[in-house]
């Protein structure tokens, strides 16, 4: 069964450093998403991406964040200058163009900012 | 008011028990509804979509009441492997077409031997 994959599984970085989180969505999916989950809290939407551009973004997704689909398979989330409060699990998700809007999640990248 | 509200639990039930989870959502224009399960430190996994007519998948039954803005999940004959956090998820109407998901905080279930 096709799966969303994410790398790395765990990233440790120092405050102020740039990080890039990588995702490979399911191959025939057209909508891509990033969510985050701070430890002990709920899953929160960050950004959606369709047709090579951002479709929607939340208040969390400020100028420090960017997304890119550099080729036909990868989907990346960049945080330019990490802050302590960026420590969280970051989940990538994707879906097809169907009416049910079911999204399938990758295993996540645990980001620890020290 | 929270967009999606759930009883956080925890629910501790013996194997074989029937357990029900409830969820309310605040936006009456919401269009799609789901139950996801999340194991500790893992990704949310789609359990089932929820339809107004109600739907069943084996031991799991989901119901949607649009008038009351209420969603439920019933698990019959619970197994140890059902232990997880159950997330009520709503697809809110937005100006774009991407339809991001809005998650509840989850209800923790532990099935005891």
């Amino acid at each position: 069964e096709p799966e969303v994959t994410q790398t790395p599984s765990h990233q440790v970085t120092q405050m102020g450093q740039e990080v890039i989180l990588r995702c490979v969505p399911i191959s025939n999916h057209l909508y891509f998403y990033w969510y985050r989950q701070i430890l002990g809290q709920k899953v929160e939407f960050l950004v959606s991406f369709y047709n090579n551009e951002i479709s929607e973004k939340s208040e969390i997704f400020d100028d420090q964040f960017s997304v890119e689909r550099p080729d036909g398979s990868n989907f990346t989330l960049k945080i330019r200058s990490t802050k302590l409060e960026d420590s969280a699990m970051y989940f990538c998700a994707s879906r097809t163009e169907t009416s049910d809007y079911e999204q399938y999640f990758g295993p996540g990248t645990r980001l620890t900012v020290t | 008011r929270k967009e999606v509200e759930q009883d956080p639990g925890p629910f501790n039930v013996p194997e074989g028990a029937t357990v029900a989870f409830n969820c309310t959502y605040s936006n009456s224009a919401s269009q799609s509804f789901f139950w996801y399960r999340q194991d500790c430190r893992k990704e949310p996994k789609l359990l089932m979509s929820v339809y107004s007519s109600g739907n069943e998948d084996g031991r799991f039954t989901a119901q949607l009441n649009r008038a009351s803005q209420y969603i439920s999940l019933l698990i019959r004959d619970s197994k140890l492997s059902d232990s997880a956090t159950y997330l009520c998820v709503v697809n809110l109407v937005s100006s774009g077409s991407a339809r991001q998901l809005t998650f509840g905080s989850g209800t923790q279930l532990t099935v005891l031997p």
Side-chain angles (χ1 to χ4, degrees):
Chain A
E1 186 176 321
E3 293 179 333
V4 177
T5 59
Q6 289 185 243
T7 54
S9 58
H10 190 191
Q11 173 90 49
V12 181
T13 189
Q14 288 189 326
M15 200 166 52
Q17 295 297 304
E18 174 184 287
V19 294
I20 298 176
L21 310 183
R22 292 183 166 80
C23 168
V24 179
I26 295 172
S27 62
N28 64 336
H29 286 189
L30 299 177
Y31 290 87
F32 313 117
Y33 305 82
W34 284 100
Y35 293 84
R36 80 169 187 192
Q37 186 174 32
I38 294 170
L39 187 64
Q41 297 187 24
K42 65 180 182 178
V43 177
E44 300 174 289
F45 167 74
L46 291 178
V47 66
S48 58
F49 194 86
Y50 173 70
N51 201 26
N52 286 319
E53 61 183 19
I54 290 175
S55 181
E56 288 150 342
K57 58 184 180 180
S58 71
E59 294 172 351
I60 303 167
F61 194 87
D62 61 22
D63 292 344
Q64 292 300 309
F65 291 88
S66 62
V67 288
E68 199 175 39
R69 189 155 163 82
D71 53 43
S73 58
N74 289 285
F75 179 51
T76 63
L77 174 70
K78 182 194 290 187
I79 308 175
R80 264 181 273 281
S81 178
T82 50
K83 303 188 282 284
L84 293 175
E85 54 265 38
D86 293 328
S87 295
M89 280 290 283
Y90 288 81
F91 295 110
C92 175
S94 67
R95 71 168 177 89
T96 61
E97 248 177 336
T98 68
S99 61
D100 282 349
Y101 308 112
E102 296 171 352
Q103 295 181 24
Y104 295 88
F105 284 73
T109 293
R110 178 169 299 283
L111 177 64
T112 302
V113 182
T114 62
Chain B
R1 184 180 171 186
K2 292 180 185 175
E3 290 176 305
V4 180
E5 199 149 357
Q6 295 182 248
D7 180 346
F11 283 60
N12 299 317
V13 302
E15 262 186 298
T18 295
V19 60
F21 303 135
N22 304 316
C23 165
T24 57
Y25 59 95
S26 60
N27 190 328
S28 60
S30 300
Q31 292 195 336
S32 304
F33 309 89
F34 309 95
W35 284 101
Y36 279 73
R37 71 170 276 168
Q38 187 174 30
D39 294 290
C40 188
R41 295 181 176 245
K42 300 284 189 180
E43 75 273 25
K45 289 192 174 177
L46 179 65
L47 184 64
M48 58 199 305
S49 301
V50 188
Y51 305 110
S52 297
S53 54
N55 47 306
E56 188 173 308
D57 183 3
R59 299 181 292 108
F60 299 85
T61 301
Q63 294 277 353
L64 167 65
N65 184 322
R66 284 187 184 269
S68 302
Q69 295 177 209
Y70 171 93
I71 308 163
S72 66
L73 176 69
L74 184 77
I75 306 175
R76 289 181 299 279
D77 188 22
S78 51
K79 313 287 184 195
L80 295 176
S81 57
D82 294 334
S83 297
T85 297
Y86 288 82
L87 307 175
C88 178
V89 183
V90 171
N91 186 281
L92 295 177
V93 174
S94 61
S95 57
S97 64
R99 310 278 180 165
Q100 71 267 27
L101 301 178
T102 298
F103 285 77
S105 298
T107 300
Q108 187 180 340
L109 171 67
T110 302
V111 180
L112 304 167

